[in-house]
Amino acid sequence: MLSTAAIVAAGVGLVPGVASATGQDGAKGTDHRGVSVPDLDLNKIAAKAYKEGTTSSPASKTVHPAAKGNKQAADAAAEPTVSLEADTVSAHGVELRLAVTSDPGTALGVLVEWGDGSQIQVGANGPTNLTENHVYAKAGVYTVKVSLVDGSGVRGTNQIVLATAGNEFTPHTPTRLLDTRAGIGAPAKKVPAFGTARIKVGGAAQIPAGVTAVALNVTVTNPSKDGHVRVYAEGGEVPTTSNVNYTPGQTVPNMVIASVGQNGYVDIYNHGAGELDLIADVTGYFSKSAANGYTSLEPSRIVDTREGLGTSQGKVAGYGTFNTPVRGRAGVPATATAVALNVTVHEPNMEGHLTVYPGGPAPTSSNLNFGQGQTIANSVIVPIGPDGKISFRNGAGAGTHVIVDVVGYYSPESQSALIRTAPSRWFDTREWGSPLEGRSYIYGRVAGGDTNVTALVTNATVTNPEGTGFLTVSPDPNSWAAYEGGWETWPTPPNSSNLNWTYRKTVPNLVQASSGVNNVIDFWNMGYQSTDLLVDTFGFYAKN
């Protein structure tokens, strides 16, 4: 258990009150306290993303219809002008600042047309500074036009082009963009120690230019030494956070939502002293175009071959396939185009890989790679087939169990858009001087409880585990006020896993964590031995 002294030194608080953890098997675990971490201030984290949305048009750009033809320059100079400056302030929200210049006492109407069919009109009497806010229904790029009008008609216009901070999702048939073993997307040679592989995203595999982020399944294979890889937008700074950790000889996959550079490329940096091969498969991309928003869900199991849930009971045979309905189950509507999953392979009889795809012929891409007897989980974002189902193929020559939990979906009606942020570490239990004990949890508040924030894009990494176990991430039913007041109840973790680990292995996984109704998230160590936990954030979903 984390000691009080260690927590105080780390600047976090220990929640008063003790409760019993209930395991997945229903048995009572050891009494432990929840451990809190500081509020994740997304306003600070997203500040750069919002600042990048600033655009302006000076007063000199004001167009005066009356100044055409033989109008004297002196008369034209007397016409009113308006300068425009705008910032993105949320996923769909913008703040527009206007400075009207006119003769004192001149009454003008200021008509703002937002570019989505809506408009407002306010008044200006002489030189006037105005600030107007607007929230768009969907992500996009909009032309905002401002007209100065009086009884004689339009006296002048100015306009700017605004792009929302939020990005919406378009599913893509699983397609391999990079395989250094086969020379796909890069020369057929290993990535050297501390070297970088480039992935062309914008303009590749029918992905349009100008995409802002991409959903990639990144796999490390044949590494010669320990290390990790970092995925980031080309042209940006190399992050200090990791996406995939590996040891010699391992094959390790992880889902990544990565920003794309302005030139359309994503880089994968090998932070290790040995060479390795890299594989990257795309399953969708984000852009500033109206497409599919995201709806987060509390984890819900739709497939468990151990019980016959969602498919026939028993291990999936070697090279066998099955499909399962998704639409209409676990809160996924008929309009959903893609689904976010946690997929777990359990007790495989030999090493191999698992592929998740939207039906039809199975692609060559893989979502999980596993060894014999290994239990491993990975996040998956997959398009839904036209029949409302998704398919699974066991790429091993012998059977394995498959477990699938739904954590969210993408649809045209979903309101939340992705806001990309620079990688940022939320917490690291190694800095506290003590790991997270078994059958206990860490809880944290998101964005001061802002209900516009619906989910986080995080990478959770378990390191130094003292035994086998798994991590479950879920929204907390308690409010922050309940924790502060000491009247919280012990949460019941869902029957799902986000990542699985074995003794002393370092395992990362993408977690799209729903913040729930209280904007409080729990990270559960569902093993019986302690482990260290690191959580890095890469973005978040917000409604407005």
Side-chain angles (χ1 to χ4, degrees):
M1 180 63 194
L2 288 168
S3 69
T4 302
I7 295 166
V8 171
V12 299
L14 184 65
V15 175
V18 180
S20 295
T22 301
Q24 278 194 300
D25 56 4
K28 294 287 186 181
T30 305
D31 285 352
H32 286 303
R33 304 168 188 251
V35 180
S36 71
V37 292
D39 178 31
L40 184 64
D41 188 347
L42 294 179
N43 289 325
K44 292 181 180 179
I45 293 174
K48 183 179 180 182
Y50 293 145
K51 186 176 180 180
E52 288 176 349
T54 300
T55 185
S56 63
S57 182
S60 60
K61 295 288 187 180
T62 305
V63 176
H64 301 110
K68 295 179 181 178
N70 297 322
K71 187 72 173 175
Q72 294 296 317
D75 292 338
E79 289 293 320
T81 62
V82 59
S83 66
L84 309 177
E85 185 178 68
D87 289 308
T88 54
V89 294
S90 64
H92 299 108
V94 296
E95 179 183 271
L96 176 65
R97 297 177 293 280
L98 310 91
V100 178
T101 302
S102 64
D103 292 334
T106 301
L108 294 170
V110 182
L111 176 65
V112 181
E113 298 171 273
W114 294 106
D116 60 355
S118 64
Q119 62 184 38
I120 61 168
Q121 182 166 321
V122 295
N125 195 341
T128 307
N129 293 323
L130 300 167
T131 299
E132 301 295 335
N133 289 277
H134 185 67
V135 177
Y136 292 99
K138 298 289 288 182
V141 179
Y142 299 92
T143 299
V144 179
K145 180 180 179 181
V146 177
S147 302
L148 304 178
V149 298
D150 62 10
S152 65
V154 176
R155 299 284 300 277
T157 62
N158 201 347
Q159 64 183 35
I160 54 175
V161 177
L162 293 177
T164 60
N167 305 270
E168 296 196 3
F169 181 75
T170 299
H172 191 285
T173 302
T175 304
R176 185 145 293 173
L177 298 182
L178 175 72
D179 190 338
T180 60
R181 303 168 304 176
I184 297 173
K189 61 180 182 180
K190 290 190 173 184
V191 179
F194 307 107
T196 301
R198 305 173 70 220
I199 307 175
K200 182 176 176 59
V201 176
Q206 298 183 330
I207 300 170
V211 298
T212 55
V214 62
L216 291 174
N217 196 64
V218 177
T219 302
V220 170
T221 191
N222 306 318
S224 59
K225 294 185 178 181
D226 290 344
H228 65 263
V229 299
R230 308 172 187 177
V231 187
Y232 61 102
E234 184 160 285
E237 294 182 4
V238 180
T240 58
T241 54
S242 64
N243 295 96
V244 186
N245 297 67
Y246 57 82
T247 56
Q250 269 193 317
T251 297
V252 189
N254 197 11
M255 191 76 201
V256 177
I257 295 179
S259 292
V260 178
Q262 292 185 352
N263 64 355
Y265 280 82
V266 170
D267 288 350
I268 305 181
Y269 167 64
N270 173 23
H271 187 76
E275 60 183 10
L276 51 76
D277 280 309
L278 287 171
I279 306 164
D281 304 306
V282 61
T283 61
Y285 56 87
F286 294 84
S287 65
K288 295 187 184 298
S289 300
N292 298 275
Y294 183 66
T295 297
S296 61
L297 299 169
E298 292 197 27
S300 180
R301 186 150 294 173
I302 61 168
V303 171
D304 190 337
T305 59
R306 299 170 302 179
E307 302 173 0
L309 174 65
T311 187
S312 57
Q313 186 174 10
K315 290 186 175 182
V316 182
Y319 308 119
T321 63
F322 73 91
N323 56 51
T324 192
V326 176
R327 292 186 182 129
R329 298 180 64 196
V332 179
T335 56
T337 61
V339 65
L341 309 169
N342 287 321
V343 179
T344 304
V345 164
H346 181 60
E347 296 181 345
N349 291 340
M350 67 179 298
E351 68 177 16
H353 67 270
L354 186 76
T355 300
V356 188
Y357 57 104
T364 57
S365 58
S366 63
N367 297 93
L368 286 87
N369 294 70
F370 49 84
Q372 182 176 353
Q374 183 183 20
T375 296
I376 186 171
N378 198 17
S379 291
V380 174
I381 298 174
V382 62
I384 300 173
D387 59 356
K389 298 178 180 179
I390 54 176
S391 299
F392 300 80
R393 181 179 185 272
N394 176 14
T400 184
H401 282 301
V402 176
I403 304 161
V404 182
D405 302 307
V406 173
V407 298
Y409 64 86
Y410 298 88
S411 75
E413 293 80 17
S414 297
Q415 297 180 352
S416 295
L418 174 69
I419 295 179
R420 301 169 300 144
T421 64
S424 176
R425 180 144 294 169
W426 187 3
F427 63 86
D428 181 347
T429 61
R430 297 174 302 180
E431 297 178 353
W432 302 348
S434 180
L436 177 65
E437 286 290 334
R439 316 304 282 181
S440 189
Y441 70 103
I442 291 170
Y443 66 91
R445 183 168 63 162
V446 177
D450 183 355
T451 56
N452 281 323
V453 176
T454 59
L456 293 179
V457 180
T458 70
N459 200 65
T461 302
V462 162
T463 190
N464 306 318
E466 294 298 326
T468 60
F470 62 94
L471 182 77
T472 292
V473 184
S474 61
D476 194 311
N478 297 293
S479 67
W480 196 254
Y483 279 111
E484 289 183 321
W487 43 273
E488 78 282 355
T489 59
W490 187 266
T492 300
N495 184 32
S496 63
S497 64
N498 293 91
L499 63 88
N500 298 67
W501 63 81
T502 55
Y503 176 71
R504 286 293 171 181
K505 294 294 185 180
T506 296
V507 183
N509 201 7
L510 175 78
V511 179
Q512 297 207 106
S514 169
S515 52
V517 296
N518 295 310
N519 279 75
V520 180
I521 296 176
D522 295 336
F523 296 84
W524 287 88
N525 173 7
M526 295 302 292
Y528 286 94
Q529 290 83 32
S530 65
T531 185
D532 279 311
L533 176 64
L534 300 68
V535 175
D536 302 309
T537 62
F538 294 85
F540 60 95
Y541 293 93
K543 292 184 289 188
N544 294 323

